[in-house]
Amino acid sequence: MERNRWYKDAVFYQIWPRSFKDGNGDGIGDLWGVLEKLDYIASLGVTGIWFSPLYVSPQADYGYDIADYKAINPEYGDLDVFQQVLDGAHARGLRVIMDLVVNHTSSEHPWFKESRTSRDNPYHDYYIWRDGGRDREGNPTPPNNWDSLFEGRAWEYEPAIDQWYLHVFAKGQPDLNMDNPAVRAEVEDIMRFWLDMGVDGFREDVITFISKVEGMPSDHLMVPGARGLRFYENGPHVHEYLEQFRDNVLSHYDCMTVGEAPMITPDKALPFIEEGPNQTLDMMFTFEHMCADCLFTDYVPLPFNLRKLKGAFSKWQKELDGKAWNALYIENHDHPRVVSRYGSEAYRVESAKLLAASYLFQKGTPFVYQGQEIGMTNTHFGSIDEVPDVSAQNQYRNRMASGAKESDVMALINRAARDHSRTPVQWSAEENAGFCPAGVEPWFAVNPNYHGINVAAAEEGEDSILNFYRKAIALRRELPVVREGSYKEFKRVSNELYVYAREMEGQRLLVICNFADHETLMRPPAGYDPSLGELRLGNYDDAPGTRPDGFLPLRPWECRVYVYE
Ligand code: GLC
Ligand code: CA
């Protein structure tokens, strides 16, 4: 099929269903709630929705553990209401992409239940089963020293067959054996099922992990916690398998794909996304810019470093230029809220708008995560019992076991937990933030700041973060330079300023962001005299011009977007 690459004009809104909107009054977000909010989503000016998993799941990892790929989790609705959502979205000009989670299933998936019953079961080889060893006392020991990223060791013992299964994530998420052609045929079948129903593509969960190095050797290089990772990250057959999915399925539909790719570098990404006959994914979710205040993971925190953030942004803009397409995001369901990380809660409104401007005008397809558009912030967890996520629980357990002080561990959880982005969306100042009816207990505590921070209040304020997002998205869609232009960064060594331009024949755009709680002076870049440009967007009421000494004064967290035509 001839591809028109419609995704290059798209802006996506990500829904994490459990916390988006409860439509049937049981305290859990669902598709009835989505139906109610389709007009709101369309009002943002976005052109698509990415649904985090909606499928049947025991929710060990909130839907990223799937027990039935072709049915909707009953808490969220059923296929009929999904079809209504899909039709309603399409009627509003919104495409819909699904989360495709095929590195692993749930341990409750019928394939896995069969798989663990005997070595001869036809489903046995759907998963990665290995023999282990015995220690001196005769107890079984795992096949290698790999760690799970979420829960202890990467192997779990099954006494019934005296074998171990691999789970790179939680115990309830056994890895599929993608080397088995029958498993790949199942993946094709799942893709066709949703594409035939009318969905427009997939966000492919940890897709770069699906192929493991043969022999799966123990890892003596990595630090405990991540042992094994280098043997399945960007593994030996990943391209071959994605080519198969492309040729047999994706290329027959007018759809798009975005692959999640932890730790990916541009050299490793290009073979997937470079436009041409070998391309297997339209774009990738990369991670470097999500590590501007940490080392590889949110759980190794460092002070926020603007130069690291800018370096990551600019590196990907440059390295993919003219070759491949970027996926742009600063928030999702796996990280704390960005205002609380890279912005400032004290300057919440200003910094939320600045963060929007910092990425929405880059080259690529932007994704906005639910609640990001109203500047939702991190919450506070008083104890680990208030933190539902399996990975936070695991971090807590490991650190407590190694003798850390509880208060230090909770401080880290409060800094790093991805649960922060999973509190219910704050719709109004009513009880439960309008997420679910008054008197019903929401599945996860609403952030107490909902009285001031909510959609209804943001709708009222002309200068709200919400309306800034609307203006920024509209501007992005209006200006061809945002889709086509080249990218240029200025003030690269500044610890306060992020300044970038987009340039094409006849149209240029300059974005200025002052990442600081104080005033910063900037000499405008050559060719970008503010008095000659048109100020199209800003986060203060006025925009004082360049002073007689040639400096442009920028107030705390001020951002401006100028267009030159
Ligand atoms: C991806 C998802 C994350 C999930 C993990 C395992 O990183 O975004 O939420 O826990 O994969 O499926
Ligand atoms: Ca519900």
Side-chain angles (χ1 to χ4, degrees):
M1 170 177 289
E2 189 58 42
R3 311 203 60 208
N4 69 14
R5 300 191 187 274
W6 53 264
Y7 58 82
K8 291 191 176 179
D9 293 305
V11 179
F12 278 92
Y13 186 77
Q14 182 193 349
I15 292 183
W16 197 76
R18 203 169 190 79
S19 290
F20 181 67
K21 175 76 175 94
D22 174 18
N24 68 348
D26 64 356
I28 298 173
D30 53 50
L31 286 169
W32 300 285
V34 175
L35 266 184
E36 280 173 40
K37 296 297 179 187
L38 282 176
D39 284 330
Y40 169 74
I41 297 168
S43 81
L44 302 173
V46 301
T47 63
I49 299 173
W50 151 30
F51 280 108
S52 275
L54 291 164
Y55 320 97
V56 172
S57 159
Q59 307 286 319
D61 185 20
Y62 293 111
Y64 285 91
D65 50 319
I66 299 173
D68 183 349
Y69 286 93
K70 297 183 184 172
I72 301 291
N73 187 28
E75 290 169 320
Y76 299 164
D78 55 26
L79 285 172
D80 286 340
V81 60
F82 178 75
Q83 187 73 56
Q84 287 177 50
V85 167
L86 186 60
D87 295 344
H90 284 162
R92 290 166 178 80
L94 303 169
R95 309 255 190 174
V96 172
I97 65 171
M98 299 296 269
D99 222 304
L100 183 79
V101 187
V102 293
N103 176 69
H104 44 266
T105 68
S106 163
S107 53
E108 297 298 308
H109 195 291
W111 301 335
F112 188 72
K113 290 186 177 165
E114 290 282 331
S115 159
R116 72 195 309 170
T117 57
S118 101
R119 295 183 182 213
D120 310 322
N121 187 287
Y123 287 99
H124 187 66
D125 202 31
Y126 267 44
Y127 295 87
I128 303 176
W129 289 102
R130 291 290 181 275
D131 296 337
R134 298 276 161 193
D135 65 13
R136 278 200 214 129
E137 283 87 56
N139 300 314
T141 57
N144 69 25
N145 73 350
W146 293 8
D147 301 304
S148 153
L149 298 172
F150 278 0
E151 221 178 358
R153 290 301 199 85
W155 298 94
E156 218 40 43
Y157 184 63
E158 175 55 72
I161 54 174
D162 187 26
Q163 279 195 316
W164 299 72
Y165 70 86
L166 179 72
H167 63 92
V168 160
F169 293 96
K171 287 180 195 163
Q173 294 171 298
D175 282 55
L176 280 165
N177 175 17
M178 204 57 77
D179 296 333
N180 179 348
V183 170
R184 301 202 296 280
E186 298 278 10
V187 173
E188 290 185 11
D189 183 50
I190 294 163
M191 287 179 157
R192 279 192 207 96
F193 177 84
W194 293 100
L195 291 167
D196 287 340
M197 196 180 297
V199 314
D200 302 289
F202 300 103
R203 176 267 190 187
E204 303 188 358
D205 190 62
V206 289
I207 198 68
T208 48
F209 288 9
I210 60 172
S211 166
K212 280 77 178 168
V213 162
E214 205 169 316
M216 301 201 290
S218 275
D219 188 348
H220 299 292
L221 286 183
M222 279 297 234
V223 289
R227 287 173 302 191
L229 190 48
R230 64 198 179 92
F231 294 118
Y232 55 80
E233 182 264 321
N234 206 27
H237 303 291
V238 60
H239 290 283
E240 182 189 322
Y241 299 159
L242 294 190
E243 279 161 19
Q244 177 185 334
F245 302 149
R246 177 198 63 202
D247 293 344
N248 293 354
V249 185
L250 296 166
S251 63
H252 303 281
Y253 295 85
D254 181 24
C255 65
M256 66 84 105
T257 53
V258 47
E260 188 202 19
M263 295 168 311
I264 199 90
T265 56
D267 318 346
K268 285 185 183 172
L270 280 168
F272 294 93
I273 55 178
E274 187 157 7
E275 289 175 21
N278 298 327
Q279 182 178 12
T280 50
L281 294 168
D282 292 316
M283 56 188 120
M284 281 174 139
F285 283 132
T286 66
F287 280 66
E288 259 180 286
H289 68 289
M290 297 309 277
C291 299
D293 62 355
C294 59
L295 192 69
F296 300 118
T297 135
D298 296 337
Y299 282 96
V300 185
L302 292 171
F304 173 65
N305 181 335
L306 178 63
R307 283 167 65 174
K308 237 174 130 184
L309 179 67
K310 299 192 295 183
F313 278 156
S314 295
K315 174 176 174 184
W316 284 89
Q317 289 287 301
K318 290 244 138 70
E319 303 253 350
L320 302 197
D321 191 39
K323 297 181 190 155
W325 196 249
N326 275 290
L328 310 171
Y329 75 97
I330 50 174
E331 255 190 35
N332 62 29
H333 63 295
D334 287 333
H335 301 278
R337 292 284 181 181
V338 73
V339 171
S340 304
R341 298 180 65 178
Y342 295 176
S344 157
E345 290 183 7
Y347 288 94
R348 186 184 67 89
V349 174
E350 293 83 354
S351 69
K353 294 176 183 175
L354 170 144
L355 287 160
S358 76
Y359 88 109
L360 283 176
F361 296 100
Q362 291 185 26
K363 190 170 191 159
T365 299
F367 290 74
V368 177
Y369 178 66
Q370 65 186 35
Q372 179 187 333
E373 78 279 18
I374 56 165
M376 281 178 62
T377 65
N378 284 355
T379 188
H380 179 77
F381 303 112
S383 87
I384 193 64
D385 303 334
E386 297 168 24
V387 190
D389 175 39
V390 58
S391 79
Q393 292 281 341
N394 183 49
Q395 292 284 347
Y396 179 87
R397 226 181 2 254
N398 290 348
R399 281 161 213 271
M400 291 304 288
S402 68
K405 229 170 81 194
E406 213 303 94
S407 56
D408 291 345
V409 179
M410 279 316 295
L412 180 64
I413 298 286
N414 271 298
R415 162 80 189 246
R418 55 185 188 164
D419 305 70
H420 286 300
S421 61
R422 300 174 174 193
T423 61
V425 170
Q426 295 161 209
W427 294 103
S428 74
E430 285 162 37
E431 191 180 325
N432 294 329
F435 164 73
C436 61
V440 169
E441 199 186 340
W443 80 275
F444 187 18
V446 174
N447 188 322
N449 68 16
Y450 72 90
H451 297 282
I453 303 173
N454 62 67
V455 172
E459 290 284 10
E460 294 301 308
E462 209 200 307
D463 293 330
S464 63
I465 299 167
L466 175 62
N467 282 318
F468 186 94
Y469 266 90
R470 288 181 171 134
K471 285 178 213 154
I473 291 168
L475 186 58
R476 170 182 173 103
R477 292 178 61 196
E478 169 196 326
L479 300 171
V481 71
V482 182
R483 170 176 162 146
E484 303 295 341
S486 61
Y487 170 95
K488 192 155 153 187
E489 188 195 346
F490 303 97
K491 316 288 170 198
R492 288 176 55 181
V493 298
S494 171
N495 289 312
E496 285 104 4
L497 297 172
Y498 174 43
V499 184
Y500 65 100
R502 304 293 313 281
E503 301 179 334
M504 68 183 265
E505 191 65 36
Q507 195 171 60
R508 291 176 305 142
L509 170 136
L510 183 73
V511 180
I512 303 169
C513 300
N514 178 29
F515 276 80
D517 284 346
H518 54 80
E519 184 184 81
T520 304
L521 297 176
M522 177 184 93
R523 213 176 260 289
Y528 285 97
D529 183 337
S531 68
L532 301 179
E534 192 191 343
L535 181 71
R536 294 295 305 271
L537 202 59
N539 59 355
Y540 279 81
D541 289 345
D542 58 351
T546 310
R547 306 190 314 196
D549 64 3
F551 284 104
L552 184 70
L554 296 162
R555 289 156 289 188
W557 297 96
E558 182 164 6
C559 70
R560 299 187 191 183
V561 180
Y562 288 97
V563 175
Y564 298 78
E565 289 184 292

